[in-house]
Amino acid sequence: MSTPQLPRPTASYIKNLRDREAEKAAEKALEAKGRREQREREEAAAAREREQAARRREAERAADEARRAADAAALEEQRRAIAAEAEAKLAAERAAAEETLRAREAERLAAEEAQREEQRAAAAARKAAQAEAARREKEAADRRAEEEKARRRAKAAEATAAKKEAKAKNNKAKKAPSAFALEEERRAKAAAELRAQEERAAQLAAEQEAARRAEREAAELAGAAERAALREDAELA
């Protein structure tokens, strides 16, 4: 059995077929070009987006760095302010402590000077009391010496008078005095002796009273000096 033969394509058919293929190829080229241009546009947009994102990130990074620098500067300024305040406070406390120490030292020196002045005053008072006691003792001794001299002069005068009286009596006896004259002489002698005894007793009493008075005054002065010393010791303690 023989195979049927297909009709042979004509030139127009071939031309049309080629034109359709060329159109398809052109359409494909256009589509490829469109896709390529779309990709390029998308890539350009993506590049712009990436660039914008990079710029945003750079701006954000710069802003972050600026904020961090500002925060660091603020912290540093705050730290310096705190340090300056602490230093000023410490300086004020040191100045106050030094002023307190100076005031305490001045008070201590003033107290020591006052204590020394009191000690000098007490010593001067003791010396004055001792000098006064010595002066009064010397005066009492001088009075006793003068009284002793007076007694000796009185005794000497009495002895002289007695000698004169005895001499006169002897002269009278030589002239044979009467019994009445002898009695008068005896009475006069007894009266003179009685007066001398009374004077000696009065003088002794006066001397004893002066000695007791001097002892009392010396004791009072010594007591005052002792009280002053005890008061000074108590104040020092």
PDB file of all heavy atoms in Angstrom, residues 39-40 42-58:
ATOM      1  N   ARG A  39      13.813  43.835  35.559  1.00  0.00           N
ATOM      2  CA  ARG A  39      14.825  43.427  36.544  1.00  0.00           C
ATOM      3  C   ARG A  39      15.762  44.579  36.856  1.00  0.00           C
ATOM      4  O   ARG A  39      16.143  44.790  38.011  1.00  0.00           O
ATOM      5  CB  ARG A  39      15.613  42.216  36.014  1.00  0.00           C
ATOM      6  CG  ARG A  39      14.853  40.906  36.093  1.00  0.00           C
ATOM      7  CD  ARG A  39      15.805  39.733  35.933  1.00  0.00           C
ATOM      8  NE  ARG A  39      16.554  39.803  34.690  1.00  0.00           N
ATOM      9  CZ  ARG A  39      16.129  39.300  33.536  1.00  0.00           C
ATOM     10  NH1 ARG A  39      14.953  38.703  33.456  1.00  0.00           N
ATOM     11  NH2 ARG A  39      16.879  39.366  32.440  1.00  0.00           N
ATOM     12  N   GLU A  40      16.163  45.295  35.749  1.00  0.00           N
ATOM     13  CA  GLU A  40      17.063  46.424  35.988  1.00  0.00           C
ATOM     14  C   GLU A  40      16.393  47.483  36.866  1.00  0.00           C
ATOM     15  O   GLU A  40      17.034  48.040  37.766  1.00  0.00           O
ATOM     16  CB  GLU A  40      17.481  47.021  34.644  1.00  0.00           C
ATOM     17  CG  GLU A  40      18.423  46.118  33.838  1.00  0.00           C
ATOM     18  CD  GLU A  40      18.760  46.708  32.480  1.00  0.00           C
ATOM     19  OE1 GLU A  40      18.155  47.758  32.135  1.00  0.00           O
ATOM     20  OE2 GLU A  40      19.613  46.133  31.794  1.00  0.00           O
ATOM     21  N   GLU A  42      13.950  46.936  38.934  1.00  0.00           N
ATOM     22  CA  GLU A  42      13.831  46.377  40.291  1.00  0.00           C
ATOM     23  C   GLU A  42      15.179  46.403  41.015  1.00  0.00           C
ATOM     24  O   GLU A  42      15.262  46.721  42.212  1.00  0.00           O
ATOM     25  CB  GLU A  42      13.292  44.953  40.210  1.00  0.00           C
ATOM     26  CG  GLU A  42      11.825  44.895  39.794  1.00  0.00           C
ATOM     27  CD  GLU A  42      11.340  43.462  39.625  1.00  0.00           C
ATOM     28  OE1 GLU A  42      12.210  42.550  39.758  1.00  0.00           O
ATOM     29  OE2 GLU A  42      10.147  43.240  39.407  1.00  0.00           O
ATOM     30  N   GLU A  43      16.230  46.018  40.202  1.00  0.00           N
ATOM     31  CA  GLU A  43      17.567  46.054  40.816  1.00  0.00           C
ATOM     32  C   GLU A  43      17.950  47.477  41.195  1.00  0.00           C
ATOM     33  O   GLU A  43      18.551  47.721  42.262  1.00  0.00           O
ATOM     34  CB  GLU A  43      18.583  45.457  39.852  1.00  0.00           C
ATOM     35  CG  GLU A  43      18.456  43.944  39.681  1.00  0.00           C
ATOM     36  CD  GLU A  43      19.412  43.396  38.643  1.00  0.00           C
ATOM     37  OE1 GLU A  43      20.134  44.236  38.030  1.00  0.00           O
ATOM     38  OE2 GLU A  43      19.478  42.167  38.462  1.00  0.00           O
ATOM     39  N   ALA A  44      17.646  48.468  40.286  1.00  0.00           N
ATOM     40  CA  ALA A  44      17.946  49.865  40.601  1.00  0.00           C
ATOM     41  C   ALA A  44      17.163  50.313  41.834  1.00  0.00           C
ATOM     42  O   ALA A  44      17.700  51.002  42.725  1.00  0.00           O
ATOM     43  CB  ALA A  44      17.630  50.756  39.394  1.00  0.00           C
ATOM     44  N   ALA A  45      15.858  49.894  41.873  1.00  0.00           N
ATOM     45  CA  ALA A  45      15.044  50.266  43.030  1.00  0.00           C
ATOM     46  C   ALA A  45      15.605  49.619  44.290  1.00  0.00           C
ATOM     47  O   ALA A  45      15.674  50.243  45.372  1.00  0.00           O
ATOM     48  CB  ALA A  45      13.582  49.852  42.794  1.00  0.00           C
ATOM     49  N   ALA A  46      15.983  48.326  44.116  1.00  0.00           N
ATOM     50  CA  ALA A  46      16.570  47.642  45.272  1.00  0.00           C
ATOM     51  C   ALA A  46      17.868  48.301  45.698  1.00  0.00           C
ATOM     52  O   ALA A  46      18.157  48.457  46.901  1.00  0.00           O
ATOM     53  CB  ALA A  46      16.790  46.167  44.936  1.00  0.00           C
ATOM     54  N   ALA A  47      18.665  48.709  44.675  1.00  0.00           N
ATOM     55  CA  ALA A  47      19.928  49.386  45.009  1.00  0.00           C
ATOM     56  C   ALA A  47      19.650  50.700  45.712  1.00  0.00           C
ATOM     57  O   ALA A  47      20.315  51.062  46.697  1.00  0.00           O
ATOM     58  CB  ALA A  47      20.747  49.602  43.726  1.00  0.00           C
ATOM     59  N   ARG A  48      18.627  51.451  45.151  1.00  0.00           N
ATOM     60  CA  ARG A  48      18.276  52.704  45.822  1.00  0.00           C
ATOM     61  C   ARG A  48      17.772  52.456  47.237  1.00  0.00           C
ATOM     62  O   ARG A  48      18.118  53.179  48.173  1.00  0.00           O
ATOM     63  CB  ARG A  48      17.212  53.446  44.994  1.00  0.00           C
ATOM     64  CG  ARG A  48      17.759  54.072  43.708  1.00  0.00           C
ATOM     65  CD  ARG A  48      16.742  55.046  43.120  1.00  0.00           C
ATOM     66  NE  ARG A  48      15.487  54.373  42.777  1.00  0.00           N
ATOM     67  CZ  ARG A  48      15.249  53.779  41.611  1.00  0.00           C
ATOM     68  NH1 ARG A  48      16.182  53.762  40.667  1.00  0.00           N
ATOM     69  NH2 ARG A  48      14.078  53.227  41.379  1.00  0.00           N
ATOM     70  N   GLU A  49      16.957  51.385  47.357  1.00  0.00           N
ATOM     71  CA  GLU A  49      16.445  51.058  48.697  1.00  0.00           C
ATOM     72  C   GLU A  49      17.581  50.682  49.634  1.00  0.00           C
ATOM     73  O   GLU A  49      17.616  51.105  50.803  1.00  0.00           O
ATOM     74  CB  GLU A  49      15.439  49.914  48.592  1.00  0.00           C
ATOM     75  CG  GLU A  49      14.808  49.516  49.924  1.00  0.00           C
ATOM     76  CD  GLU A  49      13.937  50.613  50.476  1.00  0.00           C
ATOM     77  OE1 GLU A  49      13.429  51.448  49.694  1.00  0.00           O
ATOM     78  OE2 GLU A  49      13.784  50.669  51.721  1.00  0.00           O
ATOM     79  N   ARG A  50      18.537  49.861  49.081  1.00  0.00           N
ATOM     80  CA  ARG A  50      19.682  49.505  49.909  1.00  0.00           C
ATOM     81  C   ARG A  50      20.510  50.738  50.277  1.00  0.00           C
ATOM     82  O   ARG A  50      20.964  50.879  51.428  1.00  0.00           O
ATOM     83  CB  ARG A  50      20.564  48.478  49.178  1.00  0.00           C
ATOM     84  CG  ARG A  50      19.955  47.095  49.107  1.00  0.00           C
ATOM     85  CD  ARG A  50      21.004  46.074  48.670  1.00  0.00           C
ATOM     86  NE  ARG A  50      21.524  46.374  47.346  1.00  0.00           N
ATOM     87  CZ  ARG A  50      20.986  45.942  46.203  1.00  0.00           C
ATOM     88  NH1 ARG A  50      19.880  45.192  46.229  1.00  0.00           N
ATOM     89  NH2 ARG A  50      21.530  46.223  45.036  1.00  0.00           N
ATOM     90  N   GLU A  51      20.675  51.643  49.266  1.00  0.00           N
ATOM     91  CA  GLU A  51      21.450  52.854  49.544  1.00  0.00           C
ATOM     92  C   GLU A  51      20.740  53.715  50.584  1.00  0.00           C
ATOM     93  O   GLU A  51      21.370  54.244  51.521  1.00  0.00           O
ATOM     94  CB  GLU A  51      21.650  53.631  48.247  1.00  0.00           C
ATOM     95  CG  GLU A  51      22.545  54.856  48.438  1.00  0.00           C
ATOM     96  CD  GLU A  51      22.773  55.569  47.107  1.00  0.00           C
ATOM     97  OE1 GLU A  51      22.286  55.079  46.051  1.00  0.00           O
ATOM     98  OE2 GLU A  51      23.435  56.622  47.127  1.00  0.00           O
ATOM     99  N   GLN A  52      19.405  53.839  50.384  1.00  0.00           N
ATOM    100  CA  GLN A  52      18.640  54.619  51.364  1.00  0.00           C
ATOM    101  C   GLN A  52      18.699  53.970  52.746  1.00  0.00           C
ATOM    102  O   GLN A  52      18.835  54.652  53.774  1.00  0.00           O
ATOM    103  CB  GLN A  52      17.192  54.754  50.907  1.00  0.00           C
ATOM    104  CG  GLN A  52      17.029  55.646  49.687  1.00  0.00           C
ATOM    105  CD  GLN A  52      15.600  55.663  49.196  1.00  0.00           C
ATOM    106  OE1 GLN A  52      14.728  54.965  49.755  1.00  0.00           O
ATOM    107  NE2 GLN A  52      15.329  56.451  48.141  1.00  0.00           N
ATOM    108  N   ALA A  53      18.601  52.617  52.762  1.00  0.00           N
ATOM    109  CA  ALA A  53      18.692  51.916  54.040  1.00  0.00           C
ATOM    110  C   ALA A  53      20.067  52.116  54.667  1.00  0.00           C
ATOM    111  O   ALA A  53      20.200  52.326  55.886  1.00  0.00           O
ATOM    112  CB  ALA A  53      18.397  50.428  53.846  1.00  0.00           C
ATOM    113  N   ALA A  54      21.106  52.037  53.778  1.00  0.00           N
ATOM    114  CA  ALA A  54      22.454  52.252  54.291  1.00  0.00           C
ATOM    115  C   ALA A  54      22.602  53.665  54.836  1.00  0.00           C
ATOM    116  O   ALA A  54      23.216  53.892  55.894  1.00  0.00           O
ATOM    117  CB  ALA A  54      23.473  51.987  53.174  1.00  0.00           C
ATOM    118  N   ARG A  55      22.004  54.640  54.061  1.00  0.00           N
ATOM    119  CA  ARG A  55      22.071  56.025  54.555  1.00  0.00           C
ATOM    120  C   ARG A  55      21.308  56.178  55.862  1.00  0.00           C
ATOM    121  O   ARG A  55      21.766  56.890  56.769  1.00  0.00           O
ATOM    122  CB  ARG A  55      21.493  56.964  53.492  1.00  0.00           C
ATOM    123  CG  ARG A  55      22.388  57.128  52.270  1.00  0.00           C
ATOM    124  CD  ARG A  55      21.741  58.021  51.238  1.00  0.00           C
ATOM    125  NE  ARG A  55      22.576  58.157  50.044  1.00  0.00           N
ATOM    126  CZ  ARG A  55      22.211  58.826  48.946  1.00  0.00           C
ATOM    127  NH1 ARG A  55      20.995  59.399  48.888  1.00  0.00           N
ATOM    128  NH2 ARG A  55      23.036  58.913  47.917  1.00  0.00           N
ATOM    129  N   ARG A  56      20.121  55.506  55.917  1.00  0.00           N
ATOM    130  CA  ARG A  56      19.362  55.581  57.176  1.00  0.00           C
ATOM    131  C   ARG A  56      20.153  54.960  58.316  1.00  0.00           C
ATOM    132  O   ARG A  56      20.202  55.494  59.424  1.00  0.00           O
ATOM    133  CB  ARG A  56      18.010  54.884  57.014  1.00  0.00           C
ATOM    134  CG  ARG A  56      17.003  55.679  56.207  1.00  0.00           C
ATOM    135  CD  ARG A  56      15.610  55.108  56.406  1.00  0.00           C
ATOM    136  NE  ARG A  56      15.523  53.725  55.941  1.00  0.00           N
ATOM    137  CZ  ARG A  56      15.231  53.359  54.699  1.00  0.00           C
ATOM    138  NH1 ARG A  56      15.001  54.282  53.765  1.00  0.00           N
ATOM    139  NH2 ARG A  56      15.150  52.079  54.368  1.00  0.00           N
ATOM    140  N   ARG A  57      20.743  53.780  58.015  1.00  0.00           N
ATOM    141  CA  ARG A  57      21.546  53.143  59.067  1.00  0.00           C
ATOM    142  C   ARG A  57      22.723  54.030  59.477  1.00  0.00           C
ATOM    143  O   ARG A  57      23.058  54.135  60.656  1.00  0.00           O
ATOM    144  CB  ARG A  57      22.050  51.769  58.579  1.00  0.00           C
ATOM    145  CG  ARG A  57      20.957  50.709  58.506  1.00  0.00           C
ATOM    146  CD  ARG A  57      21.573  49.327  58.357  1.00  0.00           C
ATOM    147  NE  ARG A  57      22.330  49.209  57.117  1.00  0.00           N
ATOM    148  CZ  ARG A  57      21.813  48.857  55.936  1.00  0.00           C
ATOM    149  NH1 ARG A  57      20.512  48.595  55.831  1.00  0.00           N
ATOM    150  NH2 ARG A  57      22.585  48.739  54.860  1.00  0.00           N
ATOM    151  N   GLU A  58      23.361  54.656  58.474  1.00  0.00           N
ATOM    152  CA  GLU A  58      24.490  55.534  58.786  1.00  0.00           C
ATOM    153  C   GLU A  58      24.026  56.734  59.618  1.00  0.00           C
ATOM    154  O   GLU A  58      24.675  57.140  60.589  1.00  0.00           O
ATOM    155  CB  GLU A  58      25.138  56.013  57.478  1.00  0.00           C
ATOM    156  CG  GLU A  58      26.358  56.898  57.698  1.00  0.00           C
ATOM    157  CD  GLU A  58      27.498  56.158  58.369  1.00  0.00           C
ATOM    158  OE1 GLU A  58      27.548  54.911  58.296  1.00  0.00           O
ATOM    159  OE2 GLU A  58      28.360  56.845  58.968  1.00  0.00           O
TER     160      GLU A  58
END
